[in-house]
Amino acid sequence: MELKLTKPICFFDLETTGTNISKDRIVEIAILKVFPNGNKESHTWLVNPEREIPAEVIAIHGITNEKVANEPTFKQLAGKIHDLIKGCDLGGYNSNRFDIPLLVEELLRAGIDFEMKNVVAVDVQTIFHKKEQRTLSAAYQFYCGKELEGAHGAEADTEATYEVLKSQLDKYDDLENDMKWLADFSARKKFADFAGFISYDKKGREVFAFGKYKGKLVEQVLEEEPGYFGWIQNADFPLYTKKVLTAIKLRKLNNKLS
């Protein structure tokens, strides 16, 4: 089954120096852009993370420090990557919890203010786990009947993710071939930021999802404990979390002035 698209969707996968969204960096990125007419274009870049790749991480994806030493930095690639994905929906495998948050962090560090407000994100892993509980290699075998050669290589993983989603639509009649529907289905708990520090209550209001103010309204905490905002801004939180918090604070201030 081909995807019903109202705008392009970019399936992408990252290989990184680790799993810390705030600290780790991209060493490889592959993007498969699928257009509403079915056309596709694929791009893969090795990236110099400007830091050492730990040996235990190299053992997983096979990308060594020597391999990326002369490759462009993410900042040098950021403009191309942003031009490729802007105006598109996003798709990936475990992308809502890792790839999208880390990609946005890298874009923000490069000075590109990427906005997710009008973007839906389809996480193929979540659909798979809700249906079958497996890994990407097992998903590829289960849905597509193929062995995933080159697993943990960004290019192989993005192509497999795209094929798995199409096969999921073929297999499950209750899945709608609509990117917004699939994004809602593949979402876990909805967060205002990517990293899960700010979530929503039943009324759709932002609340802190961690620490001593867990479950408390963000606007209320910022008003009653103004130092908490400064603490988060100066602490080791993701840049996008800080951006969302700043937007909430400015919104509250504008409401007071209006």
Side-chain angles (χ1 to χ4, degrees), residues 62-119:
I63 300 172
T64 64
N65 291 290
E66 294 75 19
K67 190 172 182 178
V68 296
N70 297 316
E71 297 296 336
T73 64
F74 187 87
K75 188 170 185 177
Q76 292 171 320
L77 293 169
K80 286 182 183 178
I81 291 170
H82 182 246
D83 286 344
L84 188 62
I85 67 174
K86 68 181 179 182
C88 302
D89 291 328
L90 297 176
Y93 195 85
N94 194 33
S95 49
N96 285 356
R97 291 197 298 177
F98 181 71
D99 296 79
I100 290 175
L102 185 54
L103 178 61
V104 171
E105 286 297 293
E106 289 276 40
L107 287 169
L108 289 172
R109 277 191 286 265
I112 295 176
D113 190 10
F114 185 69
E115 185 54 68
M116 284 288 294
K117 282 185 179 178
N118 298 315
V119 176

Side-chain angles (χ1 to χ4, degrees), residues 9 11 20 31 49 52 56 78 101 110 128 135 140 161 179 208 253:
I9 183 170
F11 293 91
N20 187 309
I31 300 174
E52 288 291 307
E56 61 271 21
F128 182 40
T135 63
Y140 197 53
T161 299
M179 295 307 106
F208 283 110
L253 179 61

Side-chain angles (χ1 to χ4, degrees), residues 12-14 19 21 91-102 122-129 136 161 186 188:
F12 75 102
D13 185 72
L14 308 177
T19 58
I21 291 168
Y93 195 85
N94 194 33
S95 49
N96 285 356
R97 291 197 298 177
F98 181 71
D99 296 79
I100 290 175
L102 185 54
V122 180
D123 192 329
V124 172
Q125 185 196 59
T126 304
I127 297 173
F128 182 40
H129 283 183
L136 177 57
T161 299
S186 63
R188 290 180 170 88

Side-chain angles (χ1 to χ4, degrees), residues 36-50:
N37 64 4
N39 289 345
K40 298 184 291 181
E41 63 177 275
S42 180
H43 303 268
T44 303
W45 295 276
L46 286 170
V47 184
N48 183 342
E50 301 180 279

Side-chain angles (χ1 to χ4, degrees), residues 201 205-208 213 215-226 228 245 248-249 251-252 256:
D201 66 9
R205 300 173 299 182
E206 297 97 343
V207 295
F208 283 110
Y213 296 119
K216 300 288 186 181
L217 290 173
V218 173
E219 286 191 356
Q220 182 180 341
V221 172
L222 294 183
E223 185 169 0
E224 296 176 356
E225 299 288 342
Y228 200 59
L245 196 63
I248 295 171
K249 184 177 182 179
R251 184 185 68 205
K252 177 71 172 178
K256 281 185 175 182

